[in-house]
Amino acid sequence: MVLADWAVWLRHPDPAVHLRDAYDSDEGFRQIIAAHGGVVPLVASCIPASGKRIQHPLAGDIGVIGSPTNIKRQFGAIHDGSGWLVRMHGSFGRMTAQTLAVWTI
């Protein structure tokens, strides 16, 4: 939900309103990811109408990073101009991983 929260902070309508309160555990969240076929299609389904998929991220862009084949190792991330930030136990941390998809919103 951190990517949706970022979109809201940027003054977009909540792109994940349909997912809020749709799960109450990590297992429930994983089931939603699996139902969408991975994090990339899940995030793509939540991109604001003004967003577009791009190849090279800039500061503020959102993306999915991680394993192209293991959906349990894919993460939503925000680019800070130098690299990817992901939510880690109540704060943000830098993560280096393969970029799977990027959107500007």
Side-chain angles (χ1 to χ4, degrees), residues 15-30:
V17 68
H18 62 290
L19 295 174
R20 296 204 187 267
D21 299 321
Y23 60 93
D24 60 4
S25 66
D26 191 53
E27 181 57 33
F29 181 64
R30 297 266 177 227

Side-chain angles (χ1 to χ4, degrees), residues 3 7 11-12 17-18 27-29 31-32 34 39 46 51-52 54 60 65 81 88 93-94:
L3 299 183
R11 302 194 187 277
H12 294 282
V17 68
H18 62 290
E27 181 57 33
F29 181 64
Q31 288 174 353
I32 291 170
V39 178
C46 297
K52 68 177 185 173
I54 59 172
I65 62 173
M88 297 181 177
R94 185 166 308 281

